[in-house]
Amino acid sequence: MDLRLHNELAEIIEWFPDGVYVVDGECRTLLVNSAYEELSGSNREDLIGRTMTDLTEDGFFNQSVSVLVRETKRPMSLMQTLKNGKEVIVTGNPVLDDKGRIQLIVTSVRDITHLNRVTAELEKAIGLSELNKHQYHVALERGPKVIAKSKQMQEVVNRVKQVAPFPTSVLISGPSGVGKEVIANCIHDLSQRSQKPFIKVNCAAIPDALLESELFGYEPGAFTGARRDGKAGLFELADGGTILLDEIGDMPPSIQAKLLRVLQDLTVLRVGGTRPRSVDVRVISATNQDLRKLVQDGRFREDLYYRLQVVEVRIPPLSQRPQDAIALIEHYFHYYCTKYRVAKRLRQDTVDTLHQYPWPGNVRELKNLMENLVVSVPSLTIEPHHLPIHVQSRQDTKRARSLKQRLDRFEQQVVMEALSQHGSFRKAAEALGVDHSTLVKKVKRWTENPPIA
C-alpha cells in the first residue's frame, strides 16, 4: 500500500465508532483506529507490523478472523475474546485486486460484553422469579430444592435438616421413583462433608462377582484380569465424604459381612490385601424393599441392618400426598418448557385429569410424563386427549362414562393425532380411510360440543 493511500485510509477509519483493524494479504497489521485501542486496551504501536499469528500466540486475542478470511477469500465473522477479557464480534472483509488476490482485510470489531452480561442476568432473573412463584420449594440452605407441600414431605425435610450435620448412617426407604436419591443429595449437601466426594453405588446394577472389588478395591495380582498396580475401591475414593449404597437390599450376604466390618472398624481391606486402610466415610443407604422382612427371611444380616438404620427416613408414595403431585406437575412442566424454550400450557381439564391419576411410578413417572408432553405434543395447548391412554382411562373410569362416550373420546384422539401428523384434513382423512367431508364435520362437532374431558 502506498503512503498516500495508507494515510487516507488511516484518516477514514478514525471516524468509525466501532473498532477497525486492517491487515495486508499476509495478515500483517497495517492500521487500527482509536476505537479499537480503547476497546482492546492495546496500543497501536504494539500491534502494527506484527502478524495475526504472532499476536494470537502472545494473547492479544484468542483467535483471528483475518486468518480465516485469507484462507476462504470471503467475509467471515466470529466471536473473539480480547486480552483484557472483553468479548467482541469481529467481521473480516477481504479487499481483492483485479487478479483475485487479497490486498487488504478490513475487520470491524464490536463490543458485546455488556450484551452477554445483560442476557445472562435476564435469564437468571427469570429463573429466580419463577422459583419464587413456587412457595412449596423448600430451600435446604446449600442443598437442592425439594418440593414439599404435603405435611408428610415437610416432615421428611425437617428430619433431613436435623440429621444432616451429624456423620451418622441414614437409611432412606420408600417405593421406586419417590426421590430417595434427591433426599440423599440433600443430606450430603447439608453436611460438613459437602465439599468432599459423594459417590453413589447401585448395588443391584453391579454383578456379585465384581461388587466386592468395586467397593473395597484390590491389590496387584489379586485375580485374573486385575490391574497390575491394583485399584482403590469406592470407599477409599469417598474418604472424607459420603457414599450412597442404593438398592442395599440386593447386596449379597458375603458382601454384607465385609460392609459390616467397614462400618464397625472404619477400615477397608482390599481383595488380596493384608493391610487394612482407614477410611472416614458417611454411609447413606436406600431401598424400596422391606429390610425387616428380609432380615426375618434370613436374606439380610440383622446386625448390618441396625448399623445402617441408625436414622431411617421414610418417603411415602406420591399417591398418599396429592398436594405434592399437584406441585410437581406444575414444577416439572414449567421446568421442561424453560429447558426446551417452548411456551406451552396445560388446559384446565388436562390438569384435572392429571390430578386424579395415582402415579404408581411416583415422581419419576410424573417427571418423565411432563417431559414427554412438552417435547412430543405439537400443539401449544395440551388437552386431555394428548395424555397417554392409561392416564385418560383412569379419569374415564372415575367418571363412569358410557361406552359411546369412551368410543367418541378415543375417536377424537385418533383424529387429532392424525391431523397433527399430516398437517391437513385431506391428508389425515386419506390416512384414516375416511371421507374428507366426514372428518371436517366430526372436528366441527367436537369443537362446538366437546366430549366430556
Side-chain angles (χ1 to χ4, degrees), residues 7-67:
N7 292 336
E8 289 179 354
L9 185 57
E11 184 176 350
I12 291 171
I13 65 175
E14 281 298 317
W15 290 92
F16 281 75
D18 292 335
V20 178
Y21 201 112
V22 183
V23 301
D24 61 18
E26 300 300 320
C27 288
R28 190 176 301 278
T29 307
L30 296 178
L31 295 168
V32 296
N33 66 352
S34 299
Y36 183 84
E37 286 185 300
E38 183 177 351
L39 176 62
S40 65
S42 301
N43 295 320
R44 65 185 72 189
E45 289 80 8
D46 298 327
L47 304 172
I48 293 175
R50 301 187 64 187
T51 66
M52 303 306 287
T53 300
D54 290 341
L55 293 170
T56 302
E57 290 176 353
D58 286 350
F60 282 86
F61 25 72
N62 65 330
Q63 55 185 335
S64 169
V65 73
S66 300
V67 173

Side-chain angles (χ1 to χ4, degrees), residues 15-242:
W15 290 92
F16 281 75
D18 292 335
V20 178
Y21 201 112
V22 183
V23 301
D24 61 18
E26 300 300 320
C27 288
R28 190 176 301 278
T29 307
L30 296 178
L31 295 168
V32 296
N33 66 352
S34 299
Y36 183 84
E37 286 185 300
E38 183 177 351
L39 176 62
S40 65
S42 301
N43 295 320
R44 65 185 72 189
E45 289 80 8
D46 298 327
L47 304 172
I48 293 175
R50 301 187 64 187
T51 66
M52 303 306 287
T53 300
D54 290 341
L55 293 170
T56 302
E57 290 176 353
D58 286 350
F60 282 86
F61 25 72
N62 65 330
Q63 55 185 335
S64 169
V65 73
S66 300
V67 173
L68 295 177
V69 172
R70 183 181 62 180
E71 294 173 354
T72 62
K73 293 188 177 181
R74 58 187 178 88
M76 301 286 289
S77 296
L78 54 79
M79 301 281 293
Q80 192 181 71
T81 302
L82 302 178
K83 192 173 186 177
N84 58 5
K86 287 188 176 181
E87 296 172 314
V88 295
I89 184 166
V90 293
T91 301
N93 290 278
V95 178
L96 307 178
D97 61 19
D98 53 4
K99 295 183 180 180
R101 295 173 300 192
I102 293 180
Q103 284 189 312
L104 304 173
I105 300 173
V106 181
T107 301
S108 63
V109 185
R110 176 164 295 185
D111 187 5
I112 58 170
T113 306
H114 180 66
L115 176 62
N116 287 347
R117 186 180 300 119
V118 170
T119 301
E121 291 296 330
L122 178 60
E123 290 183 353
K124 180 179 178 181
I126 292 173
L128 290 174
S129 175
E130 293 297 339
L131 286 179
N132 289 334
K133 292 179 183 178
H134 304 294
Q135 297 183 7
Y136 39 78
H137 286 271
V138 179
L140 297 180
E141 300 167 355
R142 292 169 296 167
K145 304 294 184 298
V146 174
I147 293 179
K149 197 170 185 181
S150 68
K151 181 180 178 181
Q152 300 100 308
M153 281 304 294
Q154 288 174 1
E155 290 175 353
V156 168
V157 167
N158 291 334
R159 190 165 178 79
V160 165
K161 294 173 71 174
Q162 173 63 33
V163 305
F166 302 96
T168 188
S169 299
V170 179
L171 172 64
I172 306 173
S173 59
S176 295
V178 291
K180 296 187 287 294
E181 186 176 332
V182 173
I183 295 301
N185 290 338
C186 292
I187 294 172
H188 174 74
D189 289 342
L190 290 176
S191 72
Q192 296 179 348
R193 300 167 181 260
S194 60
Q195 302 304 312
K196 298 294 184 178
F198 183 22
I199 294 179
K200 304 173 184 180
V201 187
N202 188 327
C203 299
I206 303 175
D208 293 356
L210 296 179
L211 186 57
E212 180 181 2
S213 60
E214 286 297 313
L215 289 176
F216 310 124
Y218 58 82
E219 296 291 353
F223 50 84
T224 303
R227 283 167 40 176
R228 183 177 303 176
D229 53 350
K231 179 183 176 182
L234 296 175
F235 269 89
E236 289 182 62
L237 297 177
D239 189 33
T242 306

